[in-house]
Amino acid sequence: MGLPVEQIVARLGGRLSACGDVTIVGVAPLDQAGEGQLSFLANPKYRAQLARTRASVVVVDEATEVPPGLLAIHTPNPYLYFARVVALLNPPVAHAPGVAASAVVAGAVHAGAHVAPNAVIEVGAVIGEDAVVGPGCVVGRDVHIGARTRLAANVTLYAGVHIGTDCLIHAGAVIGADGFGFARTDDGQWVKFPQIGSVRIGNKVEIGANTTIDRGAMSDTVIADGVKLDNQIQIGHNVEIGEDTAIAGCVGIAGSTRIGKRCMVGGQAGIIGHLSICDDVVISAGTLVTKSIRSPGVYTANLPLQTHADWVKNFSRLRHLDTMAQDIRTIEQRLDKGESES
Amino acid sequence: MGLPVEQIVARLGGRLSACGDVTIVGVAPLDQAGEGQLSFLANPKYRAQLARTRASVVVVDEATEVPPGLLAIHTPNPYLYFARVVALLNPPVAHAPGVAASAVVAGAVHAGAHVAPNAVIEVGAVIGEDAVVGPGCVVGRDVHIGARTRLAANVTLYAGVHIGTDCLIHAGAVIGADGFGFARTDDGQWVKFPQIGSVRIGNKVEIGANTTIDRGAMSDTVIADGVKLDNQIQIGHNVEIGEDTAIAGCVGIAGSTRIGKRCMVGGQAGIIGHLSICDDVVISAGTLVTKSIRSPGVYTANLPLQTHADWVKNFSRLRHLDTMAQDIRTIEQRLDKGESES
Amino acid sequence: MGLPVEQIVARLGGRLSACGDVTIVGVAPLDQAGEGQLSFLANPKYRAQLARTRASVVVVDEATEVPPGLLAIHTPNPYLYFARVVALLNPPVAHAPGVAASAVVAGAVHAGAHVAPNAVIEVGAVIGEDAVVGPGCVVGRDVHIGARTRLAANVTLYAGVHIGTDCLIHAGAVIGADGFGFARTDDGQWVKFPQIGSVRIGNKVEIGANTTIDRGAMSDTVIADGVKLDNQIQIGHNVEIGEDTAIAGCVGIAGSTRIGKRCMVGGQAGIIGHLSICDDVVISAGTLVTKSIRSPGVYTANLPLQTHADWVKNFSRLRHLDTMAQDIRTIEQRLDKGESES
């Protein structure tokens, strides 16, 4: 119940502004924190809150001075430090090793793993040490789940999917369903292209609720170490996502597209198939990416919000942009002609 | 099997245009209804169908006259009245109280509640009177489910989620998964910010299939009474949605955004994080909201549909809008100069 | 383990370029294939790879000549042929008939069907010959599942849904949840319109992971034979989709819209409600369809990707398009006036 601030600094580093016999029992934003709570300042726009906060300790950068009487921990990246304090104070719920009586297990479960009620683990699957398979999860044939990886409830892993260590997969995620691949006959019918690749997911990957990652058509779909995927993302067959790339909710990535390392993709963005996005690219929310990106930087294609009346007025012009451009050209020619005549 | 029209009026109000010994056995649109069926007219564009309908009874507003021989119920809001008749004729399927043998229950279930096969209810959870937990649902530790709230199949509620009374949560919905919160290290890796808030959902809330609502980072995500959410909506951590707001399918709302009361959000719209939308705002389908909205009204940002050929012609101009605007300015200056000289 | 190439041609047709005692053990793209593997050339841009491929056999069209020493199968549609070879080499995993001990079955299951662990089949449901109900699936009351139709894991079918033969429904799909229908009271509250229609799905339909198809309000939502739906698609109540239409991931289709036969809808496209789209229409990715389409062809409404800096420069003009158009008009009038005066 609580952690003395000096123990926090002993474990996480940082410089304490003064000695202080303070025990931290919780965390909160600056404007909500009270006695025994630790807060942080990362965004300068909240600096004014420092003077008024009732937090017992604040995490700030090296340069920030705090009001007298307020204890500070100075560190180069206050938000990162704060996240680590929250983790110290809120260790994940421990799961007792063992397999629930109602689970149906045909695969191999490490003695240190936890398999929750009504989970199904098919033949050939391997569940690693200290891994957690949540209630209602379905782990297909020959799936590999690495050590300490946790599946929340009702996750589905299709046959052959390989997941590394220290991953967290949220409820309702589906990994390894068939990619969307069909050949078309002359009369417009679709013949299924069997999806015989699989999905390989690295270590320390987080996958959000109801996110779907399809298996490859011939080779594998690949998610590298450290990738973070939010909820309701759709990843098509044979997509490859590089290390430490983070993707926000509702993004769709079509088949065979490759995304580099350390990219950030905003919510509801889309990336069409067979593209290549280099490392360190940032895609803004709602942006549809329709061509490959070769240079790091921020890319955007979305529309400014307007009142509906303004939208009607301005956007009816969008159909006539080409005409407008031609009108400007014509006017310029008339002017040129007029001036040369005068 | 059927309800006399006079009983309907006795229960729901409205004015019957004539006495009529008619028993209603079903409902249908005006153009499909037949003997024994009740229909309605709300949208004036279907008025011509009144003359031809073979319905036995129609629900219309006060001013509408119906052809001779057709029985009418007059009421100020015909569609609302009609919805209530449909509900009278189609009461929800009753679920017998009790816990299925295959359910795994560690929490407290009210004697009047129904827990379906293969549901899992973890320790500390409380299931209220006449509540329904559908097959395959997973109700986490310390979850609270209010009286008469129904979960369809395969719903996942994470630990600590609180749901009010009279809610309906559709299959595959996931409530309380971790918000998407990470701090970044200097070398571009992500450190998880533990999501220690929860989700609080009011009364009479409907949540669509495969919709996801994340738990808060430090405080709670909050969905107020009467909110209606369609399918595949993603709601980020610490979002707050006001009473009676209705949101259509595939909408994404990023973290910490607050939406007012009685708003309506069209399908596939998106709202970025940390915004504030006031009461009585309507967002059109497909619109990305990138700034706060302070005045009620309708807001839109989407593109007019064009043939692909027109799109190529017009939208290539979008990259050059700034140049076009500057060209116009230059032309005006040339004209001004020319006139002042002449 | 492997199939002689002459047997492949005997079964699937096509013309072998030479006699060859080759056994095919697998398939791969041209640039990855090796000894014993079969590949194909469909897209002319990969033609150069033909010279370098180490595949044992390539499937090509009638006109394409292959380098000496490379065996070819000539056929009018190489990709279609290739898909069929892949299917020959990779027959779907067979499921032994029978009901798992942990399944909870109140409906009627054909003796040749397979019901996996922890599936729930409610009263009145009928499961056809050689059908597969995957682990954790919930099949509601009075559902009909046709012969050879397979449900992957954790699929939910609500009461009364009717599914034809030879369908494949991926994990997490939800079919038959309530459509989003509410009547509004004068004070802005929503009264549920009971959704008393159902969903009818034809034969040879594939439905992607976490896709949702709502039941109709009064009549049924209808998906015709041969329709292919990718992951995370949302289909509203009373939508009708015609034969052999294919829809990519993350598409949303609002209520009562009718889509014709052989249409193709790109990823993240949206179609608003109550529209009619004719046969053979192609909708580009990310396009919002806001009006009915009466002629076959390709339709597009999405934005060109730009660097964020260019976007800021150009898109700020979008709010002033109407002013720009008026400025052009004014300039033309000044020019006309100037010329008539001179």
Side-chain angles (χ1 to χ4, degrees), chain B residues 312-341:
Chain B
V312 168
K313 204 171 63 177
N314 288 311
F315 277 47
S316 60
R317 303 296 185 184
L318 278 176
R319 293 176 197 280
H320 308 294
L321 269 190
D322 189 53
T323 306
M324 281 172 64
Q326 287 174 12
D327 287 348
I328 293 174
R329 200 84 201 87
T330 304
I331 290 169
E332 287 173 336
Q333 288 165 350
R334 287 174 67 179
L335 276 176
D336 292 346
K337 192 161 165 252
E339 286 172 3
S340 69
E341 282 174 358

PDB file of all heavy atoms in Angstrom, chain B residues 312-341:
ATOM      1  N   VAL B 312     -10.103  12.267 -61.480  1.00  0.00           N
ATOM      2  CA  VAL B 312      -8.718  12.471 -61.915  1.00  0.00           C
ATOM      3  C   VAL B 312      -8.531  13.903 -62.400  1.00  0.00           C
ATOM      4  O   VAL B 312      -7.575  14.591 -62.039  1.00  0.00           O
ATOM      5  CB  VAL B 312      -8.351  11.465 -63.035  1.00  0.00           C
ATOM      6  CG1 VAL B 312      -7.022  11.859 -63.696  1.00  0.00           C
ATOM      7  CG2 VAL B 312      -8.292  10.051 -62.488  1.00  0.00           C
ATOM      8  N   LYS B 313      -9.494  14.391 -63.186  1.00  0.00           N
ATOM      9  CA  LYS B 313      -9.414  15.715 -63.773  1.00  0.00           C
ATOM     10  C   LYS B 313      -9.461  16.807 -62.691  1.00  0.00           C
ATOM     11  O   LYS B 313      -8.640  17.722 -62.693  1.00  0.00           O
ATOM     12  CB  LYS B 313     -10.589  15.889 -64.746  1.00  0.00           C
ATOM     13  CG  LYS B 313     -10.410  16.895 -65.830  1.00  0.00           C
ATOM     14  CD  LYS B 313     -11.559  16.805 -66.849  1.00  0.00           C
ATOM     15  CE  LYS B 313     -12.889  17.141 -66.185  1.00  0.00           C
ATOM     16  NZ  LYS B 313     -14.004  17.144 -67.148  1.00  0.00           N
ATOM     17  N   ASN B 314     -10.412  16.697 -61.794  1.00  0.00           N
ATOM     18  CA  ASN B 314     -10.619  17.761 -60.808  1.00  0.00           C
ATOM     19  C   ASN B 314      -9.662  17.682 -59.620  1.00  0.00           C
ATOM     20  O   ASN B 314      -9.173  18.698 -59.133  1.00  0.00           O
ATOM     21  CB  ASN B 314     -12.056  17.721 -60.284  1.00  0.00           C
ATOM     22  CG  ASN B 314     -13.042  18.198 -61.327  1.00  0.00           C
ATOM     23  OD1 ASN B 314     -12.839  19.246 -61.935  1.00  0.00           O
ATOM     24  ND2 ASN B 314     -14.086  17.419 -61.561  1.00  0.00           N
ATOM     25  N   PHE B 315      -9.397  16.462 -59.164  1.00  0.00           N
ATOM     26  CA  PHE B 315      -8.665  16.357 -57.905  1.00  0.00           C
ATOM     27  C   PHE B 315      -7.160  16.510 -58.089  1.00  0.00           C
ATOM     28  O   PHE B 315      -6.439  16.761 -57.123  1.00  0.00           O
ATOM     29  CB  PHE B 315      -9.014  15.047 -57.204  1.00  0.00           C
ATOM     30  CG  PHE B 315     -10.287  15.192 -56.427  1.00  0.00           C
ATOM     31  CD1 PHE B 315     -11.407  15.770 -56.998  1.00  0.00           C
ATOM     32  CD2 PHE B 315     -10.355  14.793 -55.111  1.00  0.00           C
ATOM     33  CE1 PHE B 315     -12.573  15.932 -56.288  1.00  0.00           C
ATOM     34  CE2 PHE B 315     -11.518  14.952 -54.399  1.00  0.00           C
ATOM     35  CZ  PHE B 315     -12.628  15.518 -54.978  1.00  0.00           C
ATOM     36  N   SER B 316      -6.688  16.396 -59.334  1.00  0.00           N
ATOM     37  CA  SER B 316      -5.275  16.717 -59.537  1.00  0.00           C
ATOM     38  C   SER B 316      -5.060  18.196 -59.212  1.00  0.00           C
ATOM     39  O   SER B 316      -3.962  18.616 -58.874  1.00  0.00           O
ATOM     40  CB  SER B 316      -4.896  16.430 -60.983  1.00  0.00           C
ATOM     41  OG  SER B 316      -5.681  17.226 -61.838  1.00  0.00           O
ATOM     42  N   ARG B 317      -6.112  19.008 -59.304  1.00  0.00           N
ATOM     43  CA  ARG B 317      -6.016  20.433 -58.996  1.00  0.00           C
ATOM     44  C   ARG B 317      -5.838  20.694 -57.501  1.00  0.00           C
ATOM     45  O   ARG B 317      -5.395  21.777 -57.113  1.00  0.00           O
ATOM     46  CB  ARG B 317      -7.278  21.173 -59.471  1.00  0.00           C
ATOM     47  CG  ARG B 317      -7.589  21.021 -60.944  1.00  0.00           C
ATOM     48  CD  ARG B 317      -6.520  21.634 -61.804  1.00  0.00           C
ATOM     49  NE  ARG B 317      -6.891  21.587 -63.222  1.00  0.00           N
ATOM     50  CZ  ARG B 317      -6.082  21.992 -64.188  1.00  0.00           C
ATOM     51  NH1 ARG B 317      -4.878  22.457 -63.921  1.00  0.00           N
ATOM     52  NH2 ARG B 317      -6.468  21.914 -65.440  1.00  0.00           N
ATOM     53  N   LEU B 318      -6.246  19.717 -56.682  1.00  0.00           N
ATOM     54  CA  LEU B 318      -6.204  19.955 -55.232  1.00  0.00           C
ATOM     55  C   LEU B 318      -4.789  20.233 -54.739  1.00  0.00           C
ATOM     56  O   LEU B 318      -4.585  20.956 -53.769  1.00  0.00           O
ATOM     57  CB  LEU B 318      -6.773  18.750 -54.480  1.00  0.00           C
ATOM     58  CG  LEU B 318      -8.292  18.712 -54.376  1.00  0.00           C
ATOM     59  CD1 LEU B 318      -8.735  17.430 -53.709  1.00  0.00           C
ATOM     60  CD2 LEU B 318      -8.788  19.912 -53.569  1.00  0.00           C
ATOM     61  N   ARG B 319      -3.819  19.648 -55.412  1.00  0.00           N
ATOM     62  CA  ARG B 319      -2.432  19.889 -55.000  1.00  0.00           C
ATOM     63  C   ARG B 319      -1.983  21.302 -55.349  1.00  0.00           C
ATOM     64  O   ARG B 319      -0.898  21.719 -54.963  1.00  0.00           O
ATOM     65  CB  ARG B 319      -1.499  18.928 -55.737  1.00  0.00           C
ATOM     66  CG  ARG B 319      -1.652  17.497 -55.381  1.00  0.00           C
ATOM     67  CD  ARG B 319      -0.707  16.694 -56.285  1.00  0.00           C
ATOM     68  NE  ARG B 319      -1.066  15.299 -56.297  1.00  0.00           N
ATOM     69  CZ  ARG B 319      -0.729  14.452 -55.338  1.00  0.00           C
ATOM     70  NH1 ARG B 319      -0.049  14.871 -54.306  1.00  0.00           N
ATOM     71  NH2 ARG B 319      -1.090  13.184 -55.409  1.00  0.00           N
ATOM     72  N   HIS B 320      -2.761  21.974 -56.174  1.00  0.00           N
ATOM     73  CA  HIS B 320      -2.326  23.275 -56.690  1.00  0.00           C
ATOM     74  C   HIS B 320      -3.299  24.381 -56.298  1.00  0.00           C
ATOM     75  O   HIS B 320      -3.291  25.445 -56.896  1.00  0.00           O
ATOM     76  CB  HIS B 320      -2.185  23.201 -58.212  1.00  0.00           C
ATOM     77  CG  HIS B 320      -1.333  22.055 -58.640  1.00  0.00           C
ATOM     78  ND1 HIS B 320       0.013  21.992 -58.349  1.00  0.00           N
ATOM     79  CD2 HIS B 320      -1.637  20.898 -59.267  1.00  0.00           C
ATOM     80  CE1 HIS B 320       0.503  20.849 -58.809  1.00  0.00           C
ATOM     81  NE2 HIS B 320      -0.481  20.168 -59.374  1.00  0.00           N
ATOM     82  N   LEU B 321      -4.111  24.144 -55.316  1.00  0.00           N
ATOM     83  CA  LEU B 321      -5.091  25.144 -54.899  1.00  0.00           C
ATOM     84  C   LEU B 321      -4.415  26.438 -54.494  1.00  0.00           C
ATOM     85  O   LEU B 321      -4.895  27.530 -54.798  1.00  0.00           O
ATOM     86  CB  LEU B 321      -5.899  24.628 -53.700  1.00  0.00           C
ATOM     87  CG  LEU B 321      -7.189  23.884 -53.994  1.00  0.00           C
ATOM     88  CD1 LEU B 321      -7.931  23.679 -52.688  1.00  0.00           C
ATOM     89  CD2 LEU B 321      -8.042  24.688 -54.966  1.00  0.00           C
ATOM     90  N   ASP B 322      -3.318  26.309 -53.793  1.00  0.00           N
ATOM     91  CA  ASP B 322      -2.634  27.510 -53.324  1.00  0.00           C
ATOM     92  C   ASP B 322      -2.129  28.335 -54.509  1.00  0.00           C
ATOM     93  O   ASP B 322      -2.277  29.559 -54.536  1.00  0.00           O
ATOM     94  CB  ASP B 322      -1.470  27.099 -52.417  1.00  0.00           C
ATOM     95  CG  ASP B 322      -0.860  28.304 -51.739  1.00  0.00           C
ATOM     96  OD1 ASP B 322      -1.611  29.067 -51.115  1.00  0.00           O
ATOM     97  OD2 ASP B 322       0.363  28.485 -51.850  1.00  0.00           O
ATOM     98  N   THR B 323      -1.596  27.642 -55.501  1.00  0.00           N
ATOM     99  CA  THR B 323      -1.147  28.332 -56.713  1.00  0.00           C
ATOM    100  C   THR B 323      -2.319  29.004 -57.423  1.00  0.00           C
ATOM    101  O   THR B 323      -2.221  30.156 -57.881  1.00  0.00           O
ATOM    102  CB  THR B 323      -0.477  27.307 -57.659  1.00  0.00           C
ATOM    103  OG1 THR B 323       0.541  26.638 -56.926  1.00  0.00           O
ATOM    104  CG2 THR B 323       0.126  27.993 -58.877  1.00  0.00           C
ATOM    105  N   MET B 324      -3.449  28.306 -57.493  1.00  0.00           N
ATOM    106  CA  MET B 324      -4.625  28.907 -58.132  1.00  0.00           C
ATOM    107  C   MET B 324      -5.039  30.180 -57.399  1.00  0.00           C
ATOM    108  O   MET B 324      -5.334  31.204 -58.025  1.00  0.00           O
ATOM    109  CB  MET B 324      -5.801  27.908 -58.141  1.00  0.00           C
ATOM    110  CG  MET B 324      -5.696  26.852 -59.242  1.00  0.00           C
ATOM    111  SD  MET B 324      -6.977  25.545 -59.066  1.00  0.00           S
ATOM    112  CE  MET B 324      -8.482  26.516 -59.319  1.00  0.00           C
ATOM    113  N   ALA B 325      -5.057  30.124 -56.098  1.00  0.00           N
ATOM    114  CA  ALA B 325      -5.455  31.301 -55.323  1.00  0.00           C
ATOM    115  C   ALA B 325      -4.484  32.454 -55.558  1.00  0.00           C
ATOM    116  O   ALA B 325      -4.894  33.614 -55.675  1.00  0.00           O
ATOM    117  CB  ALA B 325      -5.521  30.937 -53.837  1.00  0.00           C
ATOM    118  N   GLN B 326      -3.209  32.147 -55.636  1.00  0.00           N
ATOM    119  CA  GLN B 326      -2.217  33.198 -55.886  1.00  0.00           C
ATOM    120  C   GLN B 326      -2.357  33.756 -57.297  1.00  0.00           C
ATOM    121  O   GLN B 326      -2.185  34.961 -57.520  1.00  0.00           O
ATOM    122  CB  GLN B 326      -0.811  32.646 -55.670  1.00  0.00           C
ATOM    123  CG  GLN B 326      -0.492  32.430 -54.195  1.00  0.00           C
ATOM    124  CD  GLN B 326       0.840  31.742 -53.998  1.00  0.00           C
ATOM    125  OE1 GLN B 326       1.628  31.620 -54.925  1.00  0.00           O
ATOM    126  NE2 GLN B 326       1.073  31.272 -52.780  1.00  0.00           N
ATOM    127  N   ASP B 327      -2.675  32.887 -58.251  1.00  0.00           N
ATOM    128  CA  ASP B 327      -2.892  33.349 -59.622  1.00  0.00           C
ATOM    129  C   ASP B 327      -4.043  34.358 -59.676  1.00  0.00           C
ATOM    130  O   ASP B 327      -3.965  35.376 -60.375  1.00  0.00           O
ATOM    131  CB  ASP B 327      -3.202  32.166 -60.548  1.00  0.00           C
ATOM    132  CG  ASP B 327      -1.961  31.321 -60.831  1.00  0.00           C
ATOM    133  OD1 ASP B 327      -0.840  31.773 -60.507  1.00  0.00           O
ATOM    134  OD2 ASP B 327      -2.121  30.212 -61.365  1.00  0.00           O
ATOM    135  N   ILE B 328      -5.108  34.051 -58.978  1.00  0.00           N
ATOM    136  CA  ILE B 328      -6.255  34.963 -58.961  1.00  0.00           C
ATOM    137  C   ILE B 328      -5.841  36.318 -58.408  1.00  0.00           C
ATOM    138  O   ILE B 328      -6.169  37.377 -58.938  1.00  0.00           O
ATOM    139  CB  ILE B 328      -7.411  34.357 -58.130  1.00  0.00           C
ATOM    140  CG1 ILE B 328      -7.970  33.121 -58.847  1.00  0.00           C
ATOM    141  CG2 ILE B 328      -8.507  35.381 -57.879  1.00  0.00           C
ATOM    142  CD1 ILE B 328      -9.005  32.362 -58.046  1.00  0.00           C
ATOM    143  N   ARG B 329      -5.077  36.294 -57.328  1.00  0.00           N
ATOM    144  CA  ARG B 329      -4.598  37.532 -56.698  1.00  0.00           C
ATOM    145  C   ARG B 329      -3.736  38.335 -57.678  1.00  0.00           C
ATOM    146  O   ARG B 329      -3.905  39.566 -57.820  1.00  0.00           O
ATOM    147  CB  ARG B 329      -3.759  37.120 -55.472  1.00  0.00           C
ATOM    148  CG  ARG B 329      -3.554  38.173 -54.437  1.00  0.00           C
ATOM    149  CD  ARG B 329      -4.736  38.241 -53.451  1.00  0.00           C
ATOM    150  NE  ARG B 329      -4.733  39.570 -52.798  1.00  0.00           N
ATOM    151  CZ  ARG B 329      -5.338  40.629 -53.306  1.00  0.00           C
ATOM    152  NH1 ARG B 329      -6.022  40.540 -54.428  1.00  0.00           N
ATOM    153  NH2 ARG B 329      -5.278  41.794 -52.675  1.00  0.00           N
ATOM    154  N   THR B 330      -2.828  37.649 -58.370  1.00  0.00           N
ATOM    155  CA  THR B 330      -1.948  38.305 -59.341  1.00  0.00           C
ATOM    156  C   THR B 330      -2.761  38.956 -60.454  1.00  0.00           C
ATOM    157  O   THR B 330      -2.506  40.099 -60.869  1.00  0.00           O
ATOM    158  CB  THR B 330      -0.973  37.282 -59.949  1.00  0.00           C
ATOM    159  OG1 THR B 330      -0.268  36.662 -58.887  1.00  0.00           O
ATOM    160  CG2 THR B 330       0.007  37.936 -60.914  1.00  0.00           C
ATOM    161  N   ILE B 331      -3.755  38.233 -60.931  1.00  0.00           N
ATOM    162  CA  ILE B 331      -4.613  38.766 -62.001  1.00  0.00           C
ATOM    163  C   ILE B 331      -5.326  40.027 -61.527  1.00  0.00           C
ATOM    164  O   ILE B 331      -5.389  41.038 -62.241  1.00  0.00           O
ATOM    165  CB  ILE B 331      -5.641  37.697 -62.431  1.00  0.00           C
ATOM    166  CG1 ILE B 331      -4.918  36.565 -63.180  1.00  0.00           C
ATOM    167  CG2 ILE B 331      -6.744  38.306 -63.275  1.00  0.00           C
ATOM    168  CD1 ILE B 331      -5.795  35.347 -63.418  1.00  0.00           C
ATOM    169  N   GLU B 332      -5.839  39.982 -60.302  1.00  0.00           N
ATOM    170  CA  GLU B 332      -6.538  41.162 -59.784  1.00  0.00           C
ATOM    171  C   GLU B 332      -5.598  42.364 -59.716  1.00  0.00           C
ATOM    172  O   GLU B 332      -5.980  43.494 -60.033  1.00  0.00           O
ATOM    173  CB  GLU B 332      -7.118  40.853 -58.397  1.00  0.00           C
ATOM    174  CG  GLU B 332      -8.332  39.931 -58.483  1.00  0.00           C
ATOM    175  CD  GLU B 332      -8.811  39.477 -57.111  1.00  0.00           C
ATOM    176  OE1 GLU B 332      -8.001  39.482 -56.152  1.00  0.00           O
ATOM    177  OE2 GLU B 332      -9.991  39.121 -57.002  1.00  0.00           O
ATOM    178  N   GLN B 333      -4.367  42.099 -59.318  1.00  0.00           N
ATOM    179  CA  GLN B 333      -3.400  43.205 -59.240  1.00  0.00           C
ATOM    180  C   GLN B 333      -3.088  43.751 -60.629  1.00  0.00           C
ATOM    181  O   GLN B 333      -2.969  44.976 -60.815  1.00  0.00           O
ATOM    182  CB  GLN B 333      -2.121  42.725 -58.539  1.00  0.00           C
ATOM    183  CG  GLN B 333      -2.341  42.507 -57.051  1.00  0.00           C
ATOM    184  CD  GLN B 333      -1.220  41.696 -56.400  1.00  0.00           C
ATOM    185  OE1 GLN B 333      -0.369  41.133 -57.096  1.00  0.00           O
ATOM    186  NE2 GLN B 333      -1.229  41.643 -55.079  1.00  0.00           N
ATOM    187  N   ARG B 334      -2.957  42.856 -61.607  1.00  0.00           N
ATOM    188  CA  ARG B 334      -2.707  43.333 -62.978  1.00  0.00           C
ATOM    189  C   ARG B 334      -3.878  44.184 -63.469  1.00  0.00           C
ATOM    190  O   ARG B 334      -3.688  45.225 -64.099  1.00  0.00           O
ATOM    191  CB  ARG B 334      -2.500  42.147 -63.919  1.00  0.00           C
ATOM    192  CG  ARG B 334      -1.148  41.462 -63.723  1.00  0.00           C
ATOM    193  CD  ARG B 334      -1.032  40.212 -64.559  1.00  0.00           C
ATOM    194  NE  ARG B 334      -0.992  40.503 -65.987  1.00  0.00           N
ATOM    195  CZ  ARG B 334      -0.872  39.557 -66.927  1.00  0.00           C
ATOM    196  NH1 ARG B 334      -0.790  38.262 -66.577  1.00  0.00           N
ATOM    197  NH2 ARG B 334      -0.842  39.875 -68.198  1.00  0.00           N
ATOM    198  N   LEU B 335      -5.089  43.712 -63.152  1.00  0.00           N
ATOM    199  CA  LEU B 335      -6.278  44.466 -63.573  1.00  0.00           C
ATOM    200  C   LEU B 335      -6.317  45.831 -62.900  1.00  0.00           C
ATOM    201  O   LEU B 335      -6.571  46.853 -63.534  1.00  0.00           O
ATOM    202  CB  LEU B 335      -7.545  43.683 -63.216  1.00  0.00           C
ATOM    203  CG  LEU B 335      -7.993  42.619 -64.227  1.00  0.00           C
ATOM    204  CD1 LEU B 335      -9.211  41.875 -63.674  1.00  0.00           C
ATOM    205  CD2 LEU B 335      -8.349  43.278 -65.564  1.00  0.00           C
ATOM    206  N   ASP B 336      -6.058  45.843 -61.570  1.00  0.00           N
ATOM    207  CA  ASP B 336      -6.088  47.107 -60.827  1.00  0.00           C
ATOM    208  C   ASP B 336      -5.073  48.079 -61.426  1.00  0.00           C
ATOM    209  O   ASP B 336      -5.366  49.257 -61.626  1.00  0.00           O
ATOM    210  CB  ASP B 336      -5.747  46.871 -59.352  1.00  0.00           C
ATOM    211  CG  ASP B 336      -6.839  46.080 -58.642  1.00  0.00           C
ATOM    212  OD1 ASP B 336      -7.953  45.965 -59.217  1.00  0.00           O
ATOM    213  OD2 ASP B 336      -6.579  45.573 -57.542  1.00  0.00           O
ATOM    214  N   LYS B 337      -3.908  47.533 -61.696  1.00  0.00           N
ATOM    215  CA  LYS B 337      -2.839  48.361 -62.243  1.00  0.00           C
ATOM    216  C   LYS B 337      -3.240  48.905 -63.620  1.00  0.00           C
ATOM    217  O   LYS B 337      -3.110  50.095 -63.908  1.00  0.00           O
ATOM    218  CB  LYS B 337      -1.568  47.512 -62.370  1.00  0.00           C
ATOM    219  CG  LYS B 337      -0.317  48.327 -62.658  1.00  0.00           C
ATOM    220  CD  LYS B 337       0.935  47.532 -62.308  1.00  0.00           C
ATOM    221  CE  LYS B 337       2.166  48.170 -62.911  1.00  0.00           C
ATOM    222  NZ  LYS B 337       2.716  47.403 -64.023  1.00  0.00           N
ATOM    223  N   GLY B 338      -3.783  47.998 -64.456  1.00  0.00           N
ATOM    224  CA  GLY B 338      -4.189  48.395 -65.800  1.00  0.00           C
ATOM    225  C   GLY B 338      -5.233  49.507 -65.765  1.00  0.00           C
ATOM    226  O   GLY B 338      -5.145  50.508 -66.493  1.00  0.00           O
ATOM    227  N   GLU B 339      -6.196  49.383 -64.833  1.00  0.00           N
ATOM    228  CA  GLU B 339      -7.263  50.398 -64.765  1.00  0.00           C
ATOM    229  C   GLU B 339      -6.754  51.724 -64.247  1.00  0.00           C
ATOM    230  O   GLU B 339      -7.163  52.793 -64.699  1.00  0.00           O
ATOM    231  CB  GLU B 339      -8.398  49.870 -63.885  1.00  0.00           C
ATOM    232  CG  GLU B 339      -9.199  48.791 -64.607  1.00  0.00           C
ATOM    233  CD  GLU B 339     -10.206  48.089 -63.718  1.00  0.00           C
ATOM    234  OE1 GLU B 339     -10.323  48.487 -62.545  1.00  0.00           O
ATOM    235  OE2 GLU B 339     -10.867  47.160 -64.216  1.00  0.00           O
ATOM    236  N   SER B 340      -5.837  51.661 -63.299  1.00  0.00           N
ATOM    237  CA  SER B 340      -5.322  52.919 -62.758  1.00  0.00           C
ATOM    238  C   SER B 340      -4.450  53.643 -63.794  1.00  0.00           C
ATOM    239  O   SER B 340      -4.323  54.857 -63.784  1.00  0.00           O
ATOM    240  CB  SER B 340      -4.513  52.660 -61.476  1.00  0.00           C
ATOM    241  OG  SER B 340      -3.320  51.990 -61.798  1.00  0.00           O
ATOM    242  N   GLU B 341      -3.886  52.851 -64.701  1.00  0.00           N
ATOM    243  CA  GLU B 341      -3.053  53.460 -65.741  1.00  0.00           C
ATOM    244  C   GLU B 341      -3.877  54.081 -66.857  1.00  0.00           C
ATOM    245  O   GLU B 341      -3.487  55.052 -67.473  1.00  0.00           O
ATOM    246  CB  GLU B 341      -2.130  52.399 -66.365  1.00  0.00           C
ATOM    247  CG  GLU B 341      -0.929  52.086 -65.477  1.00  0.00           C
ATOM    248  CD  GLU B 341      -0.112  50.946 -66.023  1.00  0.00           C
ATOM    249  OE1 GLU B 341      -0.484  50.372 -67.062  1.00  0.00           O
ATOM    250  OE2 GLU B 341       0.904  50.616 -65.391  1.00  0.00           O
TER     251      GLU B 341
END
